[in-house]
Coordinates of all heavy atoms in Angstrom, one line a residue:
A124 N 6.9 32.3 41.1 CA 7.3 33.6 41.4 C 6.2 34.5 42.0 O 6.4 35.3 42.9 CB 7.8 34.3 40.1
M125 N 5.0 34.3 41.5 CA 3.9 35.1 42.0 C 3.6 34.7 43.4 O 3.3 35.6 44.3 CB 2.7 34.9 41.1 CG 2.7 35.6 39.8 SD 1.2 35.4 38.8 CE 1.5 36.5 37.5
Y126 N 3.7 33.4 43.7 CA 3.5 33.0 45.1 C 4.6 33.6 46.0 O 4.3 34.1 47.1 CB 3.6 31.5 45.2 CG 3.5 30.9 46.6 CD1 2.2 30.8 47.2 CD2 4.6 30.6 47.3 CE1 2.1 30.3 48.5 CE2 4.5 30.1 48.6 CZ 3.3 30.0 49.2 OH 3.2 29.5 50.5
A127 N 5.9 33.5 45.5 CA 7.0 34.1 46.3 C 6.8 35.6 46.5 O 7.1 36.1 47.6 CB 8.3 33.7 45.7
I128 N 6.4 36.3 45.5 CA 6.3 37.7 45.6 C 5.1 38.1 46.5 O 5.3 39.0 47.4 CB 6.0 38.3 44.2 CG1 7.3 38.2 43.3 CG2 5.5 39.8 44.3 CD1 7.0 38.5 41.9
S129 N 4.0 37.3 46.4 CA 2.9 37.6 47.3 C 3.3 37.3 48.8 O 3.0 38.0 49.7 CB 1.7 36.7 47.0 OG 0.7 36.8 47.8
E130 N 4.1 36.2 49.0 CA 4.6 35.9 50.3 C 5.5 37.0 50.9 O 5.4 37.4 52.0 CB 5.3 34.6 50.3 CG 5.7 34.0 51.6 CD 6.4 32.7 51.5 OE1 7.4 32.6 50.8 OE2 6.0 31.7 52.2
A131 N 6.4 37.5 50.0 CA 7.3 38.6 50.4 C 6.6 39.8 50.7 O 6.8 40.5 51.7 CB 8.3 38.8 49.3
A132 N 5.6 40.2 49.9 CA 4.8 41.4 50.1 C 4.0 41.3 51.4 O 3.6 42.4 52.0 CB 3.9 41.6 48.9
N133 N 3.6 40.1 51.8 CA 2.8 40.0 53.0 C 3.6 39.6 54.3 O 3.0 39.3 55.3 CB 1.7 38.9 52.8 CG 0.6 39.5 51.9 OD1 -0.3 40.2 52.3 ND2 0.7 39.1 50.6
S134 N 4.9 39.6 54.1 CA 5.8 39.2 55.3 C 5.9 40.4 56.2 O 5.7 41.6 55.8 CB 7.2 38.8 54.8 OG 7.9 39.9 54.3
P135 N 6.3 40.2 57.5 CA 6.5 41.3 58.4 C 7.8 42.1 58.2 O 8.0 43.0 58.9 CB 6.5 40.6 59.8 CG 7.0 39.2 59.5 CD 6.5 38.9 58.1
A136 N 8.6 41.7 57.2 CA 9.9 42.3 57.0 C 9.7 43.8 56.6 O 8.6 44.2 56.1 CB 10.6 41.6 55.9
N137 N 10.7 44.6 56.8 CA 10.6 46.0 56.4 C 10.7 46.1 54.9 O 11.0 45.2 54.2 CB 11.7 46.8 57.1 CG 13.1 46.3 56.8 OD1 13.3 45.7 55.7 ND2 14.0 46.5 57.7
L138 N 10.4 47.3 54.4 CA 10.4 47.5 52.9 C 11.7 47.2 52.2 O 11.6 46.5 51.1 CB 9.9 49.0 52.6 CG 8.5 49.3 52.9 CD1 8.2 50.7 52.6 CD2 7.5 48.4 52.1
A140 N 13.9 45.0 52.9 CA 14.1 43.6 52.9 C 13.1 43.0 51.9 O 13.4 42.0 51.2 CB 13.8 43.0 54.3
M141 N 11.9 43.5 51.9 CA 10.9 43.1 50.9 C 11.3 43.3 49.5 O 11.2 42.4 48.6 CB 9.5 43.8 51.1 CG 8.4 43.3 50.2 SD 7.0 44.4 50.1 CE 7.7 45.8 49.2
Y142 N 11.9 44.5 49.2 CA 12.4 44.7 47.8 C 13.5 43.8 47.5 O 13.5 43.3 46.3 CB 12.9 46.2 47.7 CG 11.8 47.2 47.5 CD1 11.5 48.2 48.5 CD2 11.1 47.3 46.4 CE1 10.5 49.1 48.3 CE2 10.1 48.2 46.1 CZ 9.8 49.1 47.1 OH 8.9 50.1 46.9
Q143 N 14.4 43.5 48.4 CA 15.5 42.6 48.1 C 14.9 41.2 47.8 O 15.5 40.5 46.8 CB 16.4 42.5 49.3 CG 17.7 41.7 49.1 CD 18.6 41.8 50.3 OE1 18.3 42.3 51.3 NE2 19.8 41.3 50.1
R144 N 14.0 40.7 48.5 CA 13.4 39.4 48.3 C 12.7 39.3 46.9 O 12.9 38.4 46.1 CB 12.4 39.0 49.3 CG 13.0 38.6 50.7 CD 11.9 38.2 51.7 NE 11.2 37.0 51.3 CZ 10.2 36.5 51.9 NH1 9.8 37.1 53.1 NH2 9.6 35.4 51.5
I145 N 12.0 40.4 46.5 CA 11.3 40.4 45.2 C 12.3 40.5 44.1 O 12.2 39.9 43.0 CB 10.3 41.5 45.2 CG1 9.1 41.3 46.2 CG2 9.7 41.7 43.8 CD1 8.1 42.3 46.3
H146 N 13.4 41.3 44.3 CA 14.4 41.4 43.3 C 15.0 40.0 43.0 O 15.2 39.6 41.9 CB 15.6 42.2 43.8 CG 15.6 43.6 43.3 ND1 15.6 43.9 41.9 CD2 15.5 44.8 43.9 CE1 15.6 45.2 41.8 NE2 15.6 45.8 42.9
V148 N 13.6 37.0 43.4 CA 12.6 36.2 42.7 C 12.6 36.6 41.2 O 12.6 35.7 40.3 CB 11.2 36.4 43.3 CG1 10.2 35.7 42.4 CG2 11.2 35.8 44.7
L162 N 9.8 50.7 40.1 CA 8.8 51.0 41.0 C 9.4 51.7 42.2 O 10.1 51.0 43.0 CB 8.1 49.7 41.5 CG 7.4 48.9 40.4 CD1 6.9 47.5 40.9 CD2 6.2 49.6 39.8
L170 N 12.5 49.3 42.9 CA 12.4 47.9 42.4 C 12.5 47.9 40.9 O 11.6 48.4 40.2 CB 11.2 47.2 42.9 CG 11.0 45.7 42.5 CD1 12.2 44.9 43.1 CD2 9.7 45.2 42.9
F184 N 1.6 42.3 38.3 CA 1.4 41.6 39.5 C 2.3 42.2 40.6 O 1.8 42.4 41.7 CB 1.6 40.1 39.4 CG 1.4 39.3 40.6 CD1 0.1 38.9 41.0 CD2 2.4 38.9 41.4 CE1 -0.1 38.1 42.1 CE2 2.2 38.2 42.6 CZ 0.9 37.8 42.9
V185 N 3.5 42.4 40.2 CA 4.5 43.0 41.2 C 4.0 44.4 41.6 O 4.0 44.8 42.8 CB 5.9 43.1 40.6 CG1 6.8 43.9 41.5 CG2 6.4 41.7 40.4
R186 N 3.5 45.2 40.6 CA 3.0 46.5 40.9 C 1.9 46.5 42.0 O 2.0 47.2 43.0 CB 2.4 47.2 39.7 CG 3.4 47.7 38.6 CD 2.7 48.4 37.5 NE 3.5 48.6 36.4 CZ 4.3 49.6 36.2 NH1 4.5 50.5 37.2 NH2 5.0 49.8 35.1
V187 N 1.0 45.6 41.8 CA -0.2 45.5 42.7 C 0.3 45.1 44.1 O -0.1 45.6 45.1 CB -1.2 44.6 42.1 CG1 -2.3 44.3 43.2 CG2 -1.8 45.1 40.9
Q188 N 1.1 44.0 44.1 CA 1.6 43.5 45.4 C 2.5 44.5 46.2 O 2.3 44.7 47.4 CB 2.4 42.2 45.1 CG 1.6 41.0 44.7 CD 0.6 40.6 45.7 OE1 0.9 40.5 46.9 NE2 -0.6 40.2 45.3
V189 N 3.4 45.2 45.4 CA 4.2 46.1 46.1 C 3.4 47.3 46.6 O 3.6 47.8 47.7 CB 5.4 46.6 45.2 CG1 6.1 47.8 45.7 CG2 6.3 45.5 44.9
A190 N 2.5 47.8 45.8 CA 1.7 49.0 46.2 C 0.9 48.6 47.5 O 0.8 49.4 48.4 CB 0.7 49.4 45.1
A191 N 0.3 47.4 47.5 CA -0.5 47.0 48.6 C 0.4 46.8 49.9 O 0.1 47.2 51.0 CB -1.2 45.6 48.3
A192 N 1.6 46.3 49.6 CA 2.6 46.1 50.7 C 3.0 47.4 51.3 O 3.1 47.6 52.5 CB 3.8 45.3 50.3
V193 N 3.3 48.4 50.4 CA 3.8 49.7 50.9 C 2.7 50.4 51.7 O 2.9 50.9 52.8 CB 4.2 50.6 49.7 CG1 4.4 52.0 50.1 CG2 5.5 50.0 49.1
E194 N 1.5 50.3 51.2 CA 0.3 50.9 51.9 C 0.1 50.3 53.2 O -0.1 50.9 54.3 CB -0.9 50.8 51.0 CG -2.1 51.5 51.7 CD -3.4 51.4 50.8 OE1 -3.3 50.8 49.7 OE2 -4.4 51.9 51.2
R195 N 0.2 48.9 53.3 CA 0.0 48.2 54.5 C 1.1 48.5 55.5 O 0.8 48.7 56.7 CB -0.1 46.7 54.2 CG -0.4 45.8 55.4 CD -0.6 44.4 55.0 NE 0.5 43.8 54.3 CZ 0.4 43.6 52.9 NH1 -0.6 44.0 52.2 NH2 1.5 43.1 52.3
K196 N 2.3 48.5 55.1 CA 3.4 48.8 56.0 C 3.4 50.2 56.4 O 3.8 50.5 57.6 CB 4.8 48.4 55.3 CG 4.9 46.9 55.1 CD 6.2 46.5 54.4 CE 6.2 45.0 54.1 NZ 6.2 44.2 55.2
Q197 N 3.0 51.2 55.6 CA 2.9 52.5 56.0 C 1.9 52.7 57.1 O 2.0 53.4 58.1 CB 2.7 53.4 54.8 CG 3.8 53.6 53.9 CD 3.5 54.5 52.7 OE1 2.4 54.6 52.3 NE2 4.5 55.1 52.1
H199 N 0.9 50.3 59.1 CA 1.4 49.7 60.3 C 2.3 50.6 61.0 O 2.3 50.7 62.2 CB 2.1 48.4 59.9 CG 2.6 47.6 61.1 ND1 3.9 47.8 61.5 CD2 2.1 46.7 61.9 CE1 4.2 47.0 62.6 NE2 3.1 46.4 62.8

Side-chain angles (χ1 to χ4, degrees):
M125 287 183 171
Y126 176 81
I128 290 169
S129 179
E130 187 179 53
N133 287 280
S134 71
N137 55 30
L138 288 178
M141 181 196 74
Y142 279 114
Q143 188 174 11
R144 287 183 63 184
I145 294 178
H146 259 303
V148 173
L162 297 174
L170 178 64
F184 183 80
V185 172
R186 286 186 193 277
V187 172
Q188 291 294 323
V189 170
V193 169
E194 183 179 359
R195 183 171 56 256
K196 291 180 187 297
Q197 286 177 339
H199 180 268

